[in-house]
Coordinates of all heavy atoms in Angstrom, one line a residue:
G158 N -11.2 23.7 -14.6 CA -9.9 23.2 -14.3 C -9.8 21.8 -14.9 O -10.8 21.2 -15.3
P159 N -8.6 21.2 -14.8 CA -8.3 19.9 -15.4 C -9.2 18.8 -14.7 O -9.6 17.8 -15.4 CB -6.8 19.6 -15.1 CG -6.3 21.0 -15.0 CD -7.3 21.9 -14.4
H160 N -9.5 19.0 -13.4 CA -10.3 18.0 -12.7 C -11.8 18.2 -12.9 O -12.6 17.3 -12.6 CB -10.0 18.0 -11.2 CG -8.6 17.5 -10.9 ND1 -7.7 18.3 -10.3 CD2 -8.1 16.2 -11.1 CE1 -6.6 17.5 -10.2 NE2 -6.8 16.3 -10.6
G161 N -12.2 19.4 -13.3 CA -13.6 19.8 -13.3 C -14.2 19.7 -12.0 O -13.6 20.2 -11.0
A162 N -15.3 19.0 -11.8 CA -16.0 18.8 -10.6 C -15.3 17.8 -9.7 O -15.7 17.6 -8.5 CB -17.5 18.5 -10.7
D163 N -14.3 17.1 -10.2 CA -13.6 16.1 -9.5 C -12.3 16.6 -8.8 O -11.5 15.8 -8.3 CB -13.2 14.9 -10.4 CG -14.4 14.2 -10.9 OD1 -15.4 14.1 -10.2 OD2 -14.4 13.7 -12.1
L164 N -12.2 17.9 -8.7 CA -11.1 18.4 -7.8 C -11.2 17.8 -6.4 O -12.3 17.7 -5.8 CB -11.3 20.0 -7.7 CG -10.2 20.7 -6.9 CD1 -8.9 20.8 -7.7 CD2 -10.6 22.1 -6.5
V165 N -10.1 17.3 -5.9 CA -10.0 16.6 -4.6 C -10.4 17.5 -3.5 O -9.9 18.6 -3.3 CB -8.6 16.1 -4.4 CG1 -8.5 15.5 -3.0 CG2 -8.3 15.0 -5.4
I166 N -11.5 17.1 -2.7 CA -12.0 17.9 -1.6 C -11.5 17.2 -0.3 O -11.7 15.9 -0.2 CB -13.5 18.0 -1.6 CG1 -14.0 18.6 -2.9 CG2 -14.0 18.7 -0.4 CD1 -13.5 20.0 -3.1
R167 N -11.0 17.9 0.6 CA -10.5 17.4 1.9 C -11.4 18.0 3.0 O -11.5 19.2 3.1 CB -9.0 17.7 2.1 CG -8.1 17.1 1.0 CD -6.7 17.7 1.1 NE -6.1 17.3 2.3 CZ -5.2 16.3 2.3 NH1 -4.8 15.7 1.2 NH2 -4.6 15.9 3.5
L168 N -11.9 17.2 3.9 CA -12.7 17.6 5.0 C -12.3 16.8 6.3 O -11.7 15.7 6.1 CB -14.2 17.5 4.8 CG -14.8 18.4 3.7 CD1 -16.1 17.8 3.3 CD2 -15.0 19.8 4.3
G169 N -12.7 17.3 7.4 CA -12.5 16.5 8.7 C -13.6 16.8 9.6 O -14.7 17.3 9.2
G170 N -13.4 16.4 10.9 CA -14.5 16.6 11.8 C -14.8 15.3 12.6 O -14.6 14.2 12.1
Q171 N -15.5 15.5 13.8 CA -15.8 14.3 14.5 C -17.3 14.3 14.9 O -17.8 13.2 15.3 CB -15.0 14.3 15.8 CG -13.5 14.2 15.6 CD -12.7 14.1 16.9 OE1 -12.8 13.2 17.6 NE2 -12.0 15.2 17.3
S172 N -18.0 15.4 14.8 CA -19.4 15.4 15.1 C -20.2 14.7 14.0 O -19.8 14.5 12.9 CB -19.9 16.9 15.2 OG -19.9 17.5 14.0
G173 N -21.4 14.3 14.4 CA -22.3 13.7 13.4 C -22.6 14.6 12.2 O -22.6 14.2 11.0
T174 N -22.8 15.9 12.5 CA -23.0 16.8 11.4 C -21.8 17.0 10.5 O -22.0 16.9 9.3 CB -23.4 18.2 12.0 OG1 -24.4 18.2 12.9 CG2 -23.6 19.3 10.9
A175 N -20.6 17.1 11.0 CA -19.5 17.2 10.2 C -19.2 15.9 9.3 O -18.9 16.0 8.2 CB -18.2 17.4 11.1
L176 N -19.5 14.8 9.9 CA -19.3 13.5 9.2 C -20.3 13.3 8.1 O -20.0 12.8 7.1 CB -19.4 12.3 10.2 CG -18.2 12.2 11.2 CD1 -18.5 11.1 12.2 CD2 -16.9 11.8 10.4
K177 N -21.5 13.9 8.3 CA -22.5 13.8 7.2 C -22.0 14.6 6.0 O -22.2 14.2 4.9 CB -23.8 14.3 7.7 CG -24.6 13.4 8.6 CD -26.0 14.0 9.0 CE -26.7 13.0 10.0 NZ -28.0 13.6 10.4
V178 N -21.5 15.8 6.2 CA -21.0 16.6 5.1 C -19.8 16.0 4.5 O -19.7 15.9 3.3 CB -20.8 18.1 5.6 CG1 -20.2 18.9 4.5 CG2 -22.1 18.7 6.1
A179 N -18.9 15.5 5.3 CA -17.7 14.9 4.8 C -18.0 13.6 4.0 O -17.4 13.4 2.9 CB -16.7 14.5 6.0
G180 N -19.0 12.9 4.5 CA -19.4 11.7 3.8 C -20.0 12.0 2.4 O -19.8 11.2 1.5
K181 N -20.6 13.1 2.3 CA -21.2 13.5 1.0 C -20.1 14.1 0.0 O -20.3 13.9 -1.2 CB -22.3 14.6 1.3 CG -23.0 15.1 0.1 CD -24.1 16.1 0.5 CE -24.8 16.7 -0.7 NZ -25.8 17.7 -0.2
H182 N -19.1 14.8 0.6 CA -18.2 15.5 -0.3 C -16.8 15.1 -0.3 O -16.1 15.4 -1.3 CB -18.3 17.0 0.0 CG -19.6 17.7 -0.2 ND1 -20.1 18.0 -1.5 CD2 -20.5 18.1 0.7 CE1 -21.3 18.5 -1.4 NE2 -21.6 18.6 -0.1
A183 N -16.3 14.6 0.8 CA -14.8 14.5 0.9 C -14.2 13.3 0.1 O -14.8 12.2 0.0 CB -14.5 14.2 2.4
D184 N -13.1 13.6 -0.5 CA -12.3 12.5 -1.2 C -11.2 12.0 -0.2 O -10.9 10.9 -0.2 CB -11.7 13.1 -2.4 CG -12.7 13.5 -3.4 OD1 -13.5 12.7 -4.0 OD2 -12.8 14.7 -3.7
V185 N -10.7 13.0 0.6 CA -9.8 12.7 1.6 C -10.3 13.2 3.0 O -10.8 14.4 3.1 CB -8.4 13.4 1.4 CG1 -7.5 13.2 2.5 CG2 -7.8 13.0 0.1
F186 N -10.3 12.3 4.0 CA -10.8 12.7 5.3 C -9.6 12.9 6.2 O -8.8 11.9 6.4 CB -11.7 11.6 5.8 CG -12.4 12.0 7.2 CD1 -13.6 12.7 7.2 CD2 -11.8 11.6 8.4 CE1 -14.2 13.0 8.4 CE2 -12.4 12.0 9.6 CZ -13.6 12.7 9.5
E187 N -9.5 14.1 6.7 CA -8.4 14.4 7.6 C -8.8 14.0 9.0 O -9.7 14.6 9.7 CB -8.0 15.9 7.6 CG -7.5 16.2 6.2 CD -6.9 17.7 6.1 OE1 -6.9 18.3 7.2 OE2 -6.5 18.1 5.1
L188 N -8.1 13.0 9.6 CA -8.5 12.5 10.9 C -8.1 13.4 12.0 O -7.1 14.2 11.9 CB -7.7 11.1 11.0 CG -8.2 10.0 10.0 CD1 -7.2 9.0 9.8 CD2 -9.5 9.4 10.5
A189 N -8.7 13.2 13.2 CA -8.3 13.8 14.4 C -7.2 13.0 15.1 O -7.1 11.8 14.8 CB -9.5 14.0 15.3
A190 N -6.4 13.7 15.9 CA -5.3 12.9 16.6 C -5.9 11.9 17.5 O -7.0 12.2 18.1 CB -4.4 14.0 17.3
G191 N -5.2 10.8 17.8 CA -5.7 9.8 18.7 C -4.8 8.6 18.6 O -3.9 8.5 17.8
S192 N -5.1 7.7 19.5 CA -4.5 6.4 19.5 C -4.9 5.6 18.3 O -5.9 6.0 17.6 CB -4.8 5.6 20.8 OG -6.2 5.3 20.7
P193 N -4.2 4.6 17.9 CA -4.6 3.8 16.7 C -6.0 3.3 16.9 O -6.8 3.3 15.9 CB -3.6 2.6 16.7 CG -2.4 3.2 17.3 CD -2.8 4.1 18.4
D194 N -6.5 2.9 18.1 CA -7.9 2.4 18.2 C -8.8 3.6 18.0 O -9.9 3.4 17.4 CB -8.0 1.8 19.6 CG -9.4 1.1 19.8 OD1 -9.7 0.2 19.0 OD2 -10.1 1.5 20.7
E195 N -8.5 4.8 18.6 CA -9.4 5.9 18.4 C -9.5 6.3 16.9 O -10.6 6.6 16.4 CB -8.9 7.1 19.3 CG -9.1 6.9 20.8 CD -8.3 7.9 21.6 OE1 -7.3 8.5 21.1 OE2 -8.8 8.1 22.7
V196 N -8.4 6.3 16.3 CA -8.3 6.6 14.8 C -9.2 5.6 14.0 O -9.9 5.9 13.1 CB -6.9 6.7 14.3 CG1 -6.9 6.7 12.8 CG2 -6.2 7.9 14.9
R197 N -9.0 4.3 14.4 CA -9.8 3.3 13.7 C -11.3 3.5 13.8 O -12.0 3.4 12.9 CB -9.4 1.9 14.3 CG -10.2 0.7 13.7 CD -10.0 -0.5 14.4 NE -10.3 -0.4 15.8 CZ -11.5 -0.5 16.3 NH1 -12.6 -0.6 15.5 NH2 -11.7 -0.3 17.6
Q198 N -11.7 3.9 15.0 CA -13.2 4.1 15.2 C -13.6 5.3 14.4 O -14.7 5.3 13.8 CB -13.4 4.4 16.7 CG -13.2 3.1 17.6 CD -13.4 3.5 19.1 OE1 -14.4 4.1 19.4 NE2 -12.6 3.0 19.9

Side-chain angles (χ1 to χ4, degrees):
H160 290 118
D163 294 327
L164 181 75
V165 173
I166 303 295
R167 302 168 68 102
L168 292 162
Q171 300 182 68
S172 71
T174 303
L176 287 170
K177 284 181 182 178
V178 176
K181 181 178 178 181
H182 294 289
D184 301 293
V185 176
F186 186 86
E187 295 188 4
L188 295 155
S192 67
D194 188 57
E195 291 168 334
V196 167
R197 176 188 58 78
Q198 292 178 45

